[in-house]
């Protein structure tokens, strides 16, 4: 992939594990930034989805990042901060050896309809 296409800064957000006094995990904390990467974002459009009995506008897209040891730690439990919005990671593609990239499918709620 052409390096010029990586024109967007994306921050991966992850919840920290909260432990009790004995060190046993008891839950998850707030989302905090763990890495910032150059990425290429391609929106796939907005649609309406029924969530909780009411219609929600949802934007989905594909985020392409460079393959690295750090990028391979991204999971579906993470979020992506992109263009002043938080996106949920809904899918992670396998690393592409030919292009040296990983594609993430991301989605965000745009609010009620």
């Amino acid at each position: 992939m052409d390096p010029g296409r990586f024109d967007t800064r994306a921050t991966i957000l992850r919840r920290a594990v909260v432990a009790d006094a004995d060190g046993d995990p008891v839950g998850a904390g707030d989302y905090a930034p763990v890495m910032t990467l150059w990425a290429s974002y391609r929106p796939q459009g907005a649609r309406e989805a029924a969530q909780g009995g009411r219609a929600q506008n949802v934007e989905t897209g594909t985020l392409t990042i460079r393959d690295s040891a750090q990028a391979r730690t991204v999971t579906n439990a993470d979020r992506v901060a992109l263009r002043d919005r938080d996106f949920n990671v809904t899918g992670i593609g396998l690393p592409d050896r030919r292009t040296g990239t990983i594609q993430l499918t991301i989605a965000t709620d745009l609010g009620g309809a």
Side-chain angles (χ1 to χ4, degrees), residues 11-18 27-35 73-81 85-90 107:
T11 302
I12 306 298
L13 307 170
R14 186 170 295 153
R15 285 183 144 176
V17 176
V18 177
D30 294 332
Y31 283 96
V34 291
M35 67 184 104
T73 65
V74 176
T75 68
N76 286 353
D78 297 333
R79 288 190 180 176
V80 177
R85 291 191 311 224
D86 286 349
F87 289 81
N88 296 321
V89 177
T90 59

Side-chain angles (χ1 to χ4, degrees), residues 88-102:
N88 296 321
V89 177
T90 59
I92 303 169
L94 294 172
D96 186 346
R97 288 184 177 179
R98 184 178 54 83
T99 60
T101 61
I102 299 173

Side-chain angles (χ1 to χ4, degrees), residues 2 9 13 19 27 33-34 36-37 41-42 44 49 55 58 63 65 68 70-71 74 76 83 86 89 94 98 102 112:
D2 177 21
R9 294 297 275 176
L13 307 170
V34 291
T36 301
L37 309 164
Y41 176 64
R42 188 177 69 236
Q44 294 176 339
V58 177
L63 187 73
I65 58 175
S68 68
Q70 191 177 26
V74 176
N76 286 353
R83 298 180 181 167
D86 286 349
V89 177
L94 294 172
R98 184 178 54 83
I102 299 173

